[in-house]
Amino acid sequence: MSFSHEDVTLGLVVQLDTAVLRSLGGCQTNAVLGPEGDRSVVGTQDFLVVGLDAAAGRCTAVPLFAKTAVGNQPLENGKKSGRAEQWIGTDTFFSRWQHWRLPVASVVAASADDPATNADRRRYAATDRSALDDIKNWEGRNRASYRDA
């Protein structure tokens, strides 16, 4: 079930098709792009919305991972809510070194395959804005500048 513009709020966890995001344009990432290649995520990926500029119609999100890697940090299970399958009680990590700036309209368009319903949308830190700010603040410490995705 896809999302509407109003559903894109701080703490939302949504499955996005990065090919759709790239095809729509207007998306940026600060993932490292170096001689060894592009480190930005590809394919279908869960993202956590950590920043929202409703007036500009844009948000900042980080991709989520089931396994840790260098530069990844775990999410606290106690701050997760929504559909339990592959979310509640499972290890989930975000990369401190990869943020995406996305038009909200692109999030809506790229979320068509997300299995959530209105009753079980996944969220993180729904009542803890400081936890989301802590994740977003890594954006300013990133080694790479934003570029088109």
Side-chain angles (χ1 to χ4, degrees):
M1 169 179 267
S2 65
F3 293 85
S4 70
H5 284 74
E6 294 78 28
D7 295 322
V8 181
T9 58
L10 289 174
L12 173 70
V13 175
V14 59
Q15 184 181 82
L16 300 176
D17 183 335
T18 62
V20 172
L21 291 175
R22 287 178 170 91
S23 71
L24 293 171
C27 300
Q28 297 180 315
T29 182
N30 60 7
V32 171
L33 177 61
E36 63 281 343
D38 188 346
R39 302 286 310 254
S40 63
V41 294
V42 296
T44 301
Q45 186 76 38
D46 284 343
F47 281 82
L48 167 62
V49 177
V50 296
L52 183 64
D53 183 343
R58 297 187 64 78
C59 66
T60 302
V62 293
L64 300 177
F65 305 93
K67 295 181 180 180
T68 190
V70 174
N72 283 7
Q73 187 170 321
L75 296 180
E76 295 177 41
N77 275 311
K79 294 184 181 192
K80 295 177 179 180
S81 61
R83 181 175 50 84
E85 182 182 345
Q86 298 178 337
W87 175 240
I88 306 289
T90 63
D91 292 338
T92 310
F93 304 86
F94 75 92
S95 173
R96 293 179 294 218
W97 309 122
Q98 185 170 175
H99 290 71
W100 287 59
R101 291 179 179 161
L102 307 166
V104 170
S106 296
V107 172
V108 172
S111 68
D113 291 332
D114 189 290
T117 65
N118 287 332
D120 67 358
R121 293 205 194 289
R122 294 175 297 159
R123 301 213 176 269
Y124 182 73
T127 59
D128 186 357
R129 174 70 185 263
S130 67
L132 296 172
D133 287 344
D134 288 346
I135 295 170
K136 187 176 185 312
N137 286 339
W138 281 101
E139 173 183 41
R141 300 179 212 152
N142 200 300
R143 301 178 283 241
S145 299
Y146 273 99
R147 61 183 168 81
D148 290 338

